[in-house]
Amino acid sequence: MNDTLIPLILGMAAVTYIPRLLPFLLLNRLRIPHKVNAFLKAIPVAAIGALIVPGVLTATPDMPAAALAGMGFTLIYGMFRGGIIVPVLGAVGISWLMLALAG
Amino acid sequence: MTTGSETHGSPPMEIRGAVQAGIPIFIGYFPAAVAFGILAKGCSTSLLEAFMFSAVVFAGASQFIALNLLMTGMGPGGIILTTLLVNFRHFLMSAYLSTRLRNLARKTYFLLAFGVTDEVFSVLSFHKKALTPRFVFFLELSAWSGWVSGTVCGYVLGGFLPDILTQSMGVALYALLLAILMPALKTSRVTVFLAVLSAVLNTLLIWLDLFPAGWTIIVCILVVAFAGAMLTPGKKEVTCE
């Protein structure tokens, strides 16, 4: 590959950035009908389930159970306590422990 | 979800809050970006090109896909089209965020839109306080720093992270998404139903292999958000002003 990749990278940047930008410019001052708003408000929950599954099953390719055990900790911790840092670091720690013990 | 209006701390406090919220994203992005840097070097890109990929495209999965396609000899047109398809889900995420960031100056949107990744979007979605441009910017900057610094470290240092650590740190992003969703899962059965529906539907669609990369999640968001809108009791929210 002797050719520079910079034009390709800029092209990729443009087609990534424009869909990220357009909704802000289009919807910013628009009066949003109630039903459309209800749809937009439901997007986060709709997205997160799909962002987690099935990706998490291949997060620790050597041993999928390690990622699942980590997620189990996050789930159980989250039932009783709030916060983000402890459930995230705990999940990483448990996954690491399981991979280390198995390895 | 929440369109709260709790008061904000001073600007330094707000920046601190944003960086704190960004730490789990940083932890998750860094090792993934190290892997990208290593792969980029393996594909004989220059350090500047690897840096530029992460600094100006800033979209994880599509960057890995682009490297793979480059190695297969695909031309720039095909790679750019694939990137558009893979990253188009952010259109829906920005559409949601626009309901939380209304009536700002145009140039503010130009700046903030750049950093809308899956994880930034997820953290912002469930941030209880009203979103301010300052909070959004510093959260995005934390995420971007993890991605760009990881890329450069991976390119320069190679596989300096033990494999076990890389894998376990990769769990951080999924744990982050779950932790963000937990409060809503605990208080609403509809949320549990919708999240499970989204997960099952995505798994099914990926297994059926009907859509190009990145589009199963778009289908999931459209279908599940539509179901969510139907299931949510219609409180008359004022969305303007």
Side-chain angles (χ1 to χ4, degrees), chain B residues 3-4 10 14 30 41 50 61 85 88 98 102 110 117 172 182-183 223:
Chain B
T3 322
S10 58
E14 218 185 332
F30 187 84
K41 192 175 189 179
L85 294 177
F88 199 78
S98 75
R102 291 184 69 79
F110 280 101
T117 64
M182 277 309 289
V223 170

Side-chain angles (χ1 to χ4, degrees), chain A residues 8 12, chain B residues 53 61-71 79 83:
Chain A
L8 168 72
M12 286 176 60
Chain B
F53 259 119
S62 69
Q63 294 179 214
F64 282 98
I65 293 170
L67 287 183
N68 284 330
L69 294 178
L70 265 178
M71 297 317 279
I79 297 176
T83 305

Side-chain angles (χ1 to χ4, degrees), chain A residues 7-77:
Chain A
L8 168 72
I9 293 169
L10 294 179
M12 286 176 60
V15 297
T16 301
Y17 178 60
I18 290 166
R20 284 174 175 173
L21 174 66
L22 276 183
F24 287 109
L25 300 184
L26 297 175
L27 300 175
N28 157 37
R29 282 163 211 280
L30 214 67
R31 191 176 183 90
I32 301 170
H34 175 68
K35 282 186 176 159
V36 176
N37 194 52
F39 172 82
L40 292 174
K41 292 291 182 198
I43 287 178
V45 170
I48 289 186
L51 287 173
I52 297 176
V53 184
V56 69
L57 302 174
T58 48
T60 49
D62 291 353
M63 187 189 184
L68 291 180
M71 294 296 276
F73 170 80
T74 306
L75 186 71
I76 292 166
Y77 183 90

Side-chain angles (χ1 to χ4, degrees), chain A residues 1 5 13 16-17 19-20 23 27-30 32 34 37 40-41 46 50-51 53 60-62 71 78 96, chain B residues 1 43 49 58 87 91 94 96 99 102-104 109-110 113-114 116 164 167 186 198 202-203 217 235 239:
Chain A
M1 244 168 296
L5 293 177
T16 301
Y17 178 60
R20 284 174 175 173
L27 300 175
N28 157 37
R29 282 163 211 280
L30 214 67
I32 301 170
H34 175 68
N37 194 52
L40 292 174
K41 292 291 182 198
L51 287 173
V53 184
T60 49
D62 291 353
M71 294 296 276
W96 179 82
Chain B
M1 293 304 294
C43 296
E49 287 164 345
F58 190 33
N87 291 337
F91 183 88
S94 285
Y96 165 78
T99 69
R102 291 184 69 79
N103 300 312
L104 303 175
Y109 291 118
F110 280 101
F114 175 75
V116 178
I164 287 180
Q167 285 195 39
K186 279 194 291 186
S198 165
N202 194 39
T203 308
I217 195 158
K235 14 170 214 191
T239 57

Side-chain angles (χ1 to χ4, degrees), chain B residues 92 201 205 211 214-224:
Chain B
L92 292 168
L201 184 62
L205 290 176
F211 300 95
W215 280 70
T216 62
I217 195 158
I218 291 176
V219 174
C220 283
I221 293 174
L222 291 175
V223 170
V224 180

Side-chain angles (χ1 to χ4, degrees), chain B residues 6-46:
Chain B
E6 290 170 49
T7 49
H8 284 278
S10 58
M13 288 293 288
E14 218 185 332
I15 293 171
R16 220 181 111 189
V19 172
Q20 255 170 15
I23 289 173
I25 304 183
F26 189 103
I27 293 172
Y29 277 8
F30 187 84
V34 168
F36 177 77
I38 294 170
L39 188 64
K41 192 175 189 179
C43 296
S44 56
T45 70
S46 69

Side-chain angles (χ1 to χ4, degrees), chain A residues 48 51-52 56 59 71 74 84 87-89 91-92, chain B residues 22-33 60 117-120 122-123 143 147 166-180:
Chain A
I48 289 186
L51 287 173
I52 297 176
V56 69
M71 294 296 276
T74 306
I84 299 291
V88 169
L89 291 182
V92 172
Chain B
I23 289 173
I25 304 183
F26 189 103
I27 293 172
Y29 277 8
F30 187 84
T117 64
D118 296 342
E119 290 74 19
V120 165
S122 301
V123 168
W147 188 246
T166 302
Q167 285 195 39
S168 52
M169 281 169 82
V171 179
L173 292 179
Y174 298 102
L176 170 66
L177 297 176
L178 181 60
I180 288 166

